[in-house]
Amino acid sequence: MELTAKKAAFPSAAYRDCKGLLMRAFPREERYPMWLLSLLTVRKWVDFRAFYDKDAFCGLMYTAQTQRMIFVLYLAVNDQIHSKGYGSAILSWLRENTPQKEIVLHIEPVDEEAEDLPQRLRRLDFYKRNGFHETGAFLRDRKERYALLSTTPHFSRTEYLRLMKRFSFGSFQAEMGGSQ
């Protein structure tokens, strides 16, 4: 595997690859408009990357960061090449390129009543294998509820809220619950 990361700037091929994958990988209610995602990347601390193995598109990652924390808004592996280690490789790339920072992301919580429980369990297992910890905190954004995962066992709620307010121009209104 020869993983390379390219900025997904409009109107590049990397942007088009990412747009197609975002549409396939995330339900409509979880997707921000591409024009907005692209616009937000003018800020130096927001990053949108396409990942390639040689010339083959293998995934994407969209992040925002502060001095101490990185929030992964989107991470997706090309649906035509799942289970080949690309998700882990992308997370390794992120850790190598942002050492010393806590990485935080949201996943759908493990809910015994969920129709897609096996998928949720696989996703949680994937992140645990890649160094993430369950924080005990959750986020309710609109109608959806998400569990927060972090690469440190001591999740910084204060830093997380600071990052989310900054990313959303102060409009972050989601309800948080769970442990500190």
Side-chain angles (χ1 to χ4, degrees):
M1 182 182 307
E2 294 178 32
L3 195 68
T4 57
K6 296 181 182 179
K7 291 249 184 209
F10 180 81
S12 69
Y15 174 88
R16 288 189 300 277
D17 287 341
C18 288
K19 180 178 180 178
L21 181 54
L22 272 172
M23 299 300 210
R24 295 188 308 272
F26 295 94
R28 182 181 180 97
E29 61 273 7
E30 292 181 11
R31 287 191 317 252
Y32 287 96
M34 284 299 291
W35 67 266
L36 179 59
L37 293 174
S38 190
L39 179 64
L40 291 173
T41 63
V42 300
R43 301 186 298 182
K44 292 181 187 202
W45 48 273
V46 176
D47 194 39
F48 193 14
R49 299 266 176 175
F51 290 85
Y52 295 86
D53 185 358
K54 298 181 182 143
D55 291 329
F57 175 62
C58 57
L60 66 85
M61 185 167 43
Y62 192 99
T63 61
Q65 63 183 301
T66 62
Q67 278 187 308
R68 298 191 320 244
M69 181 179 282
I70 297 173
F71 170 63
V72 178
L73 178 61
Y74 294 115
L75 170 65
V77 172
N78 186 337
D79 47 339
Q80 317 226 323
I81 54 171
H82 274 267
S83 302
K84 295 188 177 178
Y86 289 117
S88 296
I90 291 168
L91 288 171
S92 291
W93 179 92
L94 180 60
R95 279 192 294 275
E96 289 169 14
N97 285 279
T98 55
Q100 311 299 323
K101 290 192 181 193
E102 177 180 8
I103 303 170
V104 175
L105 53 82
H106 305 152
I107 63 169
E108 294 172 311
V110 173
D111 175 358
E112 299 298 325
E113 304 296 318
E115 290 180 18
D116 63 345
L117 179 60
Q119 180 184 20
R120 291 179 185 210
L121 288 167
R122 282 192 306 273
R123 187 174 293 126
L124 177 59
D125 182 58
F126 164 78
Y127 284 115
K128 283 183 169 182
R129 283 192 325 265
N130 282 281
F132 285 81
H133 306 274
E134 293 179 85
T135 65
F138 68 88
L139 169 77
R140 186 172 304 281
D141 186 17
R142 295 178 230 148
K143 297 177 187 175
E144 302 299 321
R145 185 172 185 254
Y146 300 97
L148 276 74
L149 304 181
S150 171
T151 53
T152 65
H154 306 291
F155 168 65
S156 173
R157 183 182 291 230
T158 303
E159 188 68 18
Y160 169 79
L161 290 171
R162 179 180 298 125
L163 190 155
M164 295 305 287
K165 291 259 188 212
R166 183 179 184 206
F167 180 67
S168 68
F169 296 102
S171 67
F172 181 70
Q173 295 294 318
E175 166 192 337
M176 283 194 70
S179 64
Q180 299 287 348

